[in-house]
Amino acid sequence: MNLSRVLVYGMGLMGGSLALAIREKFPNTEITAVVRSEKSKTTILTKHLADFVFLQNEFQTPNWSNYDLVVFSTPVESILKIIPTLPKSGNTIFIDLGSTKETIVSAVESYFGDITHNYISTHPMCGSEQAGPDAAVPDLYVDKLCILTSPKSASNASLEWVRSFWEKIGSWTLEMDSQSHDETLAYLSHLPHVISTLLVNVAGSNPTTKKEILESSKPITGGGFRDMSRIAGSNPDMWISIFKENQRFLLKSIDDLIQQLSEFRNLFGSDGSFDESQIRKIWELAIANKDEIRKTK
Amino acid sequence: MNLSRVLVYGMGLMGGSLALAIREKFPNTEITAVVRSEKSKTTILTKHLADFVFLQNEFQTPNWSNYDLVVFSTPVESILKIIPTLPKSGNTIFIDLGSTKETIVSAVESYFGDITHNYISTHPMCGSEQAGPDAAVPDLYVDKLCILTSPKSASNASLEWVRSFWEKIGSWTLEMDSQSHDETLAYLSHLPHVISTLLVNVAGSNPTTKKEILESSKPITGGGFRDMSRIAGSNPDMWISIFKENQRFLLKSIDDLIQQLSEFRNLFGSDGSFDESQIRKIWELAIANKDEIRKTK
């Protein structure tokens, strides 16, 4: 696998961690980073995440073909703006780390049309409630899932190259079309983030709970609440981007949740009685779904 | 602190773990357990969780006064049946490990009336998605919160005894009246369990998600979903008991969540537009609430 020069366009937690992983697996690769802020530039140079760092405004007319691999790890919206500027020939492989796929894949397909290209959209499913190149770690992608979405007219060779790249980094890969990706991710990732965020706000808006919290020197929470609130409120920029790109499926998943919550609530009568057997069924179904989704017993 | 003989009435994960902790902190204490099943009896004897084990039907006319401490760790409903059989005098300290407090404290108050007694209701906030004495571990209560609720007419000496008992076990303690306890716990514990359970069911009921999950050999989940689903479907008996005892506050918390979800959903217009500044406010509020509730920065 030839990987002499990599460009990581946008180097936050994800791009920075990928740079560290590339340093480990491909020690001779030269890494160039493009970032928005002077602060990131300093961090990247201090942590040796890249060999060369440019601010976006210093990198206005990039020669993409200088690189064997270009990784877009900016919000989806800005990837959508770059796609129409890519070269229509050459050997450079293009990937992105976007959390949604439909808008990116549509943009790639409408830009390249029938021309064979090397753009593979990828979604490594990791990340953390932290952000920025400061938080970058070399093993972020190890044993994590990376979803590969191949736009129409992408060369098969580029798909296979990208698959072996991610596997070398330590991820395991799975192919998915863009629409299935976005719908599945709405239910397995985007909805959980919305719920975690609203859960802490619901708890914080109850006056009794608030009073007890403020009067206690230590947290009044068990492991359940701590787990359920870890991802609350994280990375608003990224989530606003996801809400833009995957609104249809996110709203569908929220509507499904509101419906199941309302059905659950209606199992309780106003006299204190409730349908115990139905609650048991819901709990049993949850165990089955949990095992199936998490692939554990 | 005199603790020669302890009775643990109901020995699952919580009672069994308490027995192990007592063995560590009070090595000379004689522990008696009462359980429902032969299987639990065997486990308890094999793991040496107790010195004597009785099945419930072998323990019909207990002499409670034989023990310095009696711990009720059965579902709240069965504690409510035992309370009216307790002696109205003597030095035995009674505690329970119930997850709800209002019904227990009411039962204690109406049974003892103005008579000074030694019943302190406690709620150690730990537990796990596992259950049964098999899962018992000695450090379950270490560095965990134990909420103490003192019914009317409970002696101050018994409250102080129970407080030092739990602190010796390794927990930190906090006093709360029964109603504040139940309302706060609805928001910080019961609602999170309902949400986790319904989340996996919402994800499992989406056909595209289901198809992708079944076709993949590994889980299509990031850390967010894994954290958010850990407590899903756990311990239905305990939860049905909690839904019985704390229905009023649980339903209030569910209604609050449905309202916040609906308000969130309504930030999105049918044309794909949405109120970005409002979403940022919700995300910022979540960070503030999360820090306040978890007491972390």
Side-chain angles (χ1 to χ4, degrees):
Chain A
M1 172 171 281
N2 183 28
L3 195 63
S4 306
R5 291 165 143 201
V6 173
L7 174 68
V8 181
Y9 194 95
M11 194 176 268
L13 167 71
M14 306 272 292
S17 296
L18 186 58
L20 286 173
I22 289 171
R23 287 252 190 260
E24 227 178 74
K25 303 292 177 177
F26 305 90
N28 300 319
T29 298
E30 184 186 280
I31 302 175
T32 302
V34 177
V35 292
R36 275 183 305 182
S37 73
E38 280 289 355
K39 185 170 166 255
S40 292
K41 192 170 174 177
T42 309
T43 305
I44 288 164
L45 290 171
T46 312
K47 286 190 79 173
H48 303 294
L49 298 180
D51 303 292
F52 307 102
V53 188
F54 299 96
L55 289 177
Q56 267 178 29
N57 57 23
E58 302 165 341
F59 202 77
Q60 292 294 353
T61 50
N63 188 349
W64 305 107
S65 305
N66 277 349
Y67 306 96
D68 302 303
L69 173 66
V70 173
V71 181
F72 296 115
S73 49
T74 59
V76 173
E77 216 174 358
S78 59
I79 301 172
L80 295 177
K81 285 182 193 145
I82 296 171
I83 288 167
T85 71
L86 300 181
K88 291 201 173 174
S89 63
N91 296 320
T92 306
I93 307 265
F94 294 93
I95 65 173
D96 64 78
L97 312 183
S99 308
T100 57
K101 293 293 140 212
E102 240 187 314
T103 53
I104 291 176
V105 167
S106 298
V108 170
E109 290 178 348
S110 79
Y111 174 64
F112 287 103
D114 291 334
I115 300 169
T116 303
H117 61 84
N118 301 320
Y119 192 113
I120 305 293
S121 195
T122 75
H123 178 197
M125 287 189 62
C126 48
S128 126
E129 63 278 31
Q130 301 188 287
D134 245 339
V137 288
D139 61 351
L140 187 69
Y141 300 104
V142 175
D143 289 331
K144 302 288 165 56
L145 167 63
C146 183
I147 300 174
L148 310 180
T149 303
S150 189
K152 266 184 283 181
S153 304
S155 71
N156 205 46
S158 63
L159 175 62
E160 291 317 314
W161 192 99
V162 170
R163 191 199 309 278
S164 22
F165 170 74
W166 277 112
E167 290 177 356
K168 186 105 195 234
I169 291 298
S171 304
W172 61 276
T173 60
L174 180 70
E175 263 185 89
M176 229 183 257
D177 69 83
S178 62
Q179 191 161 329
S180 298
H181 171 280
D182 286 4
E183 184 162 4
T184 302
L185 269 284
Y187 285 85
L188 296 182
S189 173
H190 310 162
L191 179 63
H193 278 79
V194 171
I195 295 179
S196 181
T197 301
L198 295 187
L199 171 63
V200 298
N201 286 348
V202 166
S205 68
N206 176 258
T208 304
T209 304
K210 185 102 175 178
K211 179 173 169 287
E212 293 296 339
I213 288 164
L214 292 178
E215 284 177 0
S216 169
S217 63
K218 294 211 177 183
I220 310 177
T221 49
F225 188 88
R226 276 199 296 280
D227 282 356
M228 298 290 291
S229 60
R230 184 181 65 80
I231 55 178
S234 64
N235 213 336
D237 289 334
M238 191 180 86
W239 285 100
I240 283 171
S241 163
I242 289 173
F243 295 151
K244 277 183 185 145
E245 309 303 330
N246 200 22
Q247 196 171 134
R248 179 163 64 107
F249 291 123
L250 176 70
L251 294 184
K252 193 175 162 195
S253 72
I254 291 176
D255 290 341
D256 286 357
L257 176 65
I258 292 175
Q259 195 190 325
Q260 289 209 22
L261 271 169
S262 304
E263 283 170 10
F264 181 79
R265 202 245 176 268
N266 290 336
L267 297 176
F268 296 85
S270 54
D271 57 351
S273 69
F274 63 94
D275 188 337
E276 189 175 318
S277 74
Q278 198 52 38
I279 288 184
R280 281 190 192 279
K281 275 187 204 153
I282 291 170
W283 251 242
E284 280 161 22
L285 179 63
I287 290 289
N289 279 322
K290 181 177 162 182
D291 288 346
E292 198 166 85
I293 296 170
R294 295 164 57 129
K295 308 266 178 197
T296 52
K297 270 287 166 202
Chain B
M1 172 172 277
N2 183 30
L3 195 64
S4 305
R5 292 165 141 199
V6 173
L7 174 68
V8 181
Y9 194 95
M11 194 176 267
L13 167 71
M14 305 273 292
S17 295
L18 186 57
L20 286 173
I22 290 172
R23 288 252 190 260
E24 227 178 74
K25 303 293 178 176
F26 305 89
N28 299 319
T29 298
E30 183 187 281
I31 302 175
T32 302
V34 178
V35 291
R36 274 182 308 183
S37 74
E38 279 289 354
K39 185 170 166 259
S40 293
K41 192 170 174 174
T42 309
T43 305
I44 288 164
L45 290 171
T46 312
K47 285 190 78 171
H48 302 295
L49 299 180
D51 303 291
F52 307 103
V53 188
F54 298 98
L55 290 176
Q56 266 179 28
N57 58 22
E58 300 165 343
F59 201 78
Q60 293 293 352
T61 48
N63 188 350
W64 305 107
S65 306
N66 277 348
Y67 306 95
D68 302 303
L69 172 67
V70 172
V71 181
F72 297 115
S73 49
T74 59
V76 172
E77 216 174 359
S78 59
I79 301 173
L80 295 176
K81 285 183 191 142
I82 295 171
I83 287 167
T85 71
L86 299 181
K88 292 202 173 175
S89 63
N91 295 320
T92 305
I93 307 265
F94 294 92
I95 66 173
D96 64 78
L97 312 184
S99 308
T100 57
K101 294 292 139 210
E102 241 188 313
T103 53
I104 291 176
V105 168
S106 297
V108 170
E109 290 179 347
S110 80
Y111 174 63
F112 287 104
D114 291 334
I115 300 167
T116 303
H117 61 84
N118 301 320
Y119 192 114
I120 305 292
S121 195
T122 76
H123 179 196
M125 286 189 63
C126 48
S128 126
E129 63 279 31
Q130 301 189 290
D134 247 339
V137 287
D139 60 352
L140 187 69
Y141 300 104
V142 175
D143 288 330
K144 303 288 165 58
L145 167 63
C146 182
I147 299 173
L148 309 179
T149 303
S150 189
K152 266 183 282 183
S153 302
S155 71
N156 206 45
S158 63
L159 173 63
E160 291 317 313
W161 192 98
V162 170
R163 190 198 310 276
S164 25
F165 170 74
W166 277 112
E167 290 177 356
K168 186 105 196 229
I169 291 298
S171 304
W172 60 276
T173 60
L174 181 69
E175 263 184 90
M176 228 183 258
D177 70 82
S178 61
Q179 191 162 325
S180 298
H181 171 279
D182 286 4
E183 184 161 5
T184 302
L185 270 284
Y187 285 84
L188 296 182
S189 173
H190 310 162
L191 179 63
H193 278 80
V194 171
I195 294 179
S196 181
T197 301
L198 295 188
L199 171 64
V200 297
N201 287 347
V202 166
S205 68
N206 176 258
T208 304
T209 305
K210 184 104 176 178
K211 179 172 167 289
E212 293 296 338
I213 288 164
L214 291 177
E215 284 176 0
S216 168
S217 65
K218 294 211 177 180
I220 311 176
T221 49
F225 188 88
R226 276 200 296 282
D227 281 357
M228 297 292 291
S229 60
R230 184 181 63 80
I231 56 177
S234 65
N235 213 336
D237 289 334
M238 191 180 85
W239 285 100
I240 283 170
S241 163
I242 288 173
F243 296 151
K244 278 184 184 145
E245 309 303 330
N246 201 22
Q247 197 172 131
R248 180 162 63 105
F249 291 123
L250 176 69
L251 294 184
K252 192 175 162 195
S253 72
I254 292 176
D255 290 342
D256 287 357
L257 176 65
I258 292 175
Q259 195 191 324
Q260 289 209 20
L261 272 169
S262 304
E263 283 170 11
F264 181 79
R265 202 245 176 270
N266 290 335
L267 297 177
F268 296 85
S270 54
D271 58 350
S273 68
F274 62 94
D275 187 337
E276 190 176 317
S277 74
Q278 198 52 39
I279 288 185
R280 282 191 192 276
K281 276 187 203 153
I282 292 170
W283 251 243
E284 280 160 22
L285 180 62
I287 292 287
N289 279 321
K290 182 178 162 183
D291 287 347
E292 196 165 86
I293 296 170
R294 295 162 59 128
K295 308 263 177 199
T296 52
K297 269 288 165 196

